[in-house]
Amino acid sequence: MQLSHQELWAKALGIIKDNIDVQQYKTWFEPIKSMGFEDGVLRLFLPSTFFPEQLEEKYADLIGPVIKKVYGPGVQLFYSYLQVDGAKETGVEVRASGQSVAIVNDRMAAPANPFVDQPLKSFDSQLNPKYNFENYCTGTSNNIARTIAESIANDPSNKTFNPLFVFGPVGVGKTHLIQAVGIRVKERNPQARVLYVTARFFQSQFTAANHKGQINNFFHFYQSIDTLIIDDVQDLAGKPETQNTFFHIFNQLHQNNRQIILSSDCAPSEMDGFESRLLSRFKWGASVALDKPDYDLRRRVLIKNAEQDGLNLPEDVIDYIAENVTDSIRELVGVVASLVAQATVLNCDINLELARPVVAHAIRMRRSQVNFEMITQAVAAYFKINPDLFFTSTRKREISDARQIVMYLAKKLAGMSLKNIGNKLGRTHATVIYACRSIDDRLSIDAELRNQIEEIRATLNS
């Protein structure tokens, strides 16, 4: 007997519930409702605007494998929610992509599509309207980047900064800044062909075009763009065919004075897995760094977000969060979203007593600076292995598995590049990529591995 879409979602929730904290489950998953599952498309209804990015940011690595297990491979996931509670006309649908969400419609606007019969017709630029310059808080960590970005947006004909390459750690506002350029360009010239895509989406489009024999359409579409914005370009690492295609698109756009804007988690000089000719082009224009926000900027971000969402954040709560959540703007927004969710569930006002445990959870994993040597020693001690064995060619299962955990934690906790990890262990770049992906895939469904890594993390943070 075939299960209904509600029964399938109940089954998925059961697996999710077994893999996360009870309070996290009640806050972020219990309120979600299944709207339907048809033709390989799963639609879930979320109770508020806070949910999509929180689910993608914190739980994408869990949701993806669970949906694959329950619904089968190749399922497309869409989230729906109302921007104004109770007002159906404010409905928004977003496509979940694993680490990012893209608006598909706010009443069924069509997404950009290079595989249509008339590839030059009007299309959705994929820009999020909330990511504008008016909502972008500026401080010492991002002032230069904002100045350059605004100069591009205000005068697209000036190609002094082409390409613009914005880099920095996760959550410092790269996506907001590069989309703000596109929004300003569209405001001043609604006819301008502006497109924002993630590198992963670009990769999936290229794969589909290649499979369908529509590469010419793909080229034609992208070479028609006036301002091309590609986020997280580091995700094209190790994909030579896609890089080669992007290389030719880049050349064509640059030659025709079209603006190119890219973001990455590291500077071009630190990127691994890229062809040198493509990296050289990344350096043609301006490369600007976004650093971690200082205290004043963190306060401004909290106040701005509270104003936008109509929240009343007490001054002592703002100060407490700004003093303790220091790594990223995304973390700040996430803490506020968690506070709102907790206050809603508990039916209480936001106060310092409510904020303390939420902030403690956010900063628990980064109380100490972790390096490669600390990680190897901690993993070796946990598995009772001589750490020298990690650097040998032995392929014994227990050594190989522990070595993969070393690679994974070196990337996640120490922030090391894949190349540096490989150099340390005498392994190739491809081996490190495989190890990190393997651990990522297993973590979402292997409770034992998850417990092992959490216990190792705890020893590193003690």
Side-chain angles (χ1 to χ4, degrees):
M1 178 178 171
Q2 189 172 1
L3 298 178
S4 68
H5 69 89
Q6 292 97 336
E7 291 170 325
L8 286 171
W9 180 237
K11 184 177 180 181
L13 285 177
I15 300 174
I16 291 170
K17 189 175 184 179
D18 290 340
N19 282 275
I20 61 174
D21 177 82
V22 173
Q23 188 57 55
Q24 291 177 336
Y25 173 79
K26 288 184 176 180
T27 300
W28 297 112
F29 288 94
E30 200 169 74
I32 299 175
K33 306 298 181 187
S34 173
M35 297 174 64
F37 175 59
E38 188 175 1
D39 296 329
V41 176
L42 172 62
R43 285 184 164 84
L44 301 177
F45 184 78
L46 310 181
S48 79
T49 59
F50 293 111
F51 273 68
E53 290 187 12
Q54 287 295 302
L55 293 176
E56 287 286 288
E57 175 66 24
K58 295 183 177 179
Y59 303 107
D61 290 341
L62 171 62
I63 294 171
V66 169
I67 286 177
K68 182 178 179 181
K69 182 174 182 178
V70 174
Y71 294 86
V75 173
Q76 296 183 64
L77 175 60
F78 292 83
Y79 298 129
S80 297
Y81 59 89
L82 301 181
Q83 292 174 304
V84 178
D85 190 30
K88 291 183 178 180
E89 65 273 12
T90 66
V92 171
E93 186 172 72
V94 295
R95 180 192 305 106
S97 58
Q99 309 306 327
S100 66
V101 290
I103 293 179
V104 176
N105 65 62
D106 49 5
R107 300 271 58 95
M108 303 309 289
N113 179 8
F115 314 126
V116 293
D117 294 334
Q118 296 177 320
L120 298 184
K121 73 177 185 179
S122 178
F123 62 89
D124 180 4
S125 291
Q126 303 288 319
L127 296 167
N128 188 333
K130 74 177 183 179
Y131 288 154
N132 55 51
F133 282 118
E134 289 69 31
N135 291 339
Y136 190 79
C137 296
T138 308
T140 55
S141 63
N142 61 14
N143 185 52
I144 294 175
R146 176 181 180 142
T147 300
I148 293 175
E150 280 204 279
S151 71
I152 292 171
N154 293 333
D155 184 12
S157 64
N158 184 352
K159 293 299 188 290
T160 303
F161 308 111
N162 193 25
L164 172 63
F165 192 101
V166 179
F167 65 93
V170 171
V172 294
K174 299 187 296 294
T175 297
H176 189 152
L177 182 63
I178 61 179
Q179 287 208 39
V181 177
I183 289 172
R184 177 70 59 82
V185 171
K186 289 290 288 182
E187 287 173 348
R188 298 195 168 201
N189 178 14
Q191 302 306 313
R193 291 176 61 78
V194 178
L195 178 64
Y196 164 87
V197 293
T198 64
R200 288 187 181 186
F201 189 64
F202 181 89
Q203 162 71 21
S204 67
Q205 284 187 321
F206 167 73
T207 301
N210 201 22
H211 178 71
K212 297 176 181 178
Q214 295 180 322
I215 288 296
N216 286 339
N217 278 358
F218 184 84
F219 272 109
H220 190 200
F221 175 81
Y222 273 96
Q223 290 172 356
S224 74
I225 303 300
D226 298 315
T227 300
L228 177 61
I229 306 169
I230 297 188
D231 207 353
D232 292 324
V233 73
Q234 77 276 354
D235 287 340
L236 297 184
K239 298 178 172 65
E241 288 189 28
T242 310
Q243 288 181 34
N244 181 60
T245 300
F246 181 56
F247 173 80
H248 293 294
I249 291 172
F250 183 106
N251 285 346
Q252 184 70 21
L253 293 177
H254 197 276
Q255 182 178 335
N256 290 312
N257 289 320
R258 311 289 178 83
Q259 182 67 49
I260 304 163
I261 302 173
L262 309 169
S263 84
S264 173
D265 60 5
C266 61
S269 59
E270 299 173 351
M271 297 178 76
D272 299 321
F274 279 82
E275 296 182 13
S276 58
R277 62 176 184 169
L278 188 55
L279 288 178
S280 70
R281 279 154 177 76
F282 290 169
K283 304 173 188 176
W284 276 0
S287 294
V288 289
L290 292 185
D291 297 320
K292 293 179 181 180
D294 58 23
Y295 175 77
D296 289 337
L297 179 55
R298 296 196 296 271
R299 282 194 96 259
R300 284 198 288 274
V301 168
L302 290 168
I303 293 169
K304 172 70 76 173
N305 274 270
E307 289 174 351
Q308 289 173 348
D309 296 326
L311 302 176
N312 180 24
L313 282 185
E315 283 293 319
D316 59 346
V317 172
I318 291 174
D319 291 338
Y320 183 76
I321 297 173
E323 287 169 0
N324 290 279
V325 182
T326 59
D327 271 10
S328 77
I329 292 171
R330 187 176 298 170
E331 242 185 343
L332 292 169
V333 176
V335 166
V336 173
S338 294
L339 275 174
V340 171
Q342 293 271 15
T344 301
V345 170
L346 299 174
N347 193 27
C348 66
D349 293 330
I350 294 175
N351 54 40
L352 197 55
E353 182 180 358
L354 186 68
R356 284 197 177 100
V358 173
V359 170
H361 178 75
I363 66 176
R364 186 173 58 214
M365 294 315 212
R366 50 176 178 75
R367 286 178 178 160
S368 63
Q369 292 297 317
V370 177
N371 59 38
F372 182 78
E373 287 68 30
M374 293 167 62
I375 290 169
T376 55
Q377 292 297 325
V379 175
Y382 183 86
F383 290 107
K384 297 179 173 58
I385 293 172
N386 183 338
D388 292 341
L389 293 174
F390 293 143
F391 305 92
T392 67
S393 59
T394 179
R395 295 186 179 182
K396 288 184 178 179
R397 181 62 181 270
E398 63 272 21
I399 307 299
S400 178
D401 286 353
R403 187 189 293 120
Q404 284 193 344
I405 292 176
V406 169
M407 295 178 187
Y408 174 82
L409 293 178
K411 182 176 183 293
K412 292 290 185 180
L413 301 186
M416 293 175 62
S417 70
L418 301 175
K419 182 178 180 180
N420 286 341
I421 296 170
N423 289 341
K424 286 277 190 180
L425 291 167
R427 261 62 186 178
T428 65
H429 176 266
T431 300
V432 180
I433 290 177
Y434 174 80
C436 292
R437 286 179 178 171
S438 175
I439 296 294
D440 262 328
D441 290 342
R442 291 172 56 197
L443 273 177
S444 57
I445 54 177
D446 188 336
E448 181 182 3
L449 175 64
R450 191 162 55 253
N451 289 336
Q452 290 173 342
I453 288 182
E454 286 302 319
E455 289 174 11
I456 294 169
R457 280 178 182 255
T459 65
L460 288 166
N461 287 322
S462 61

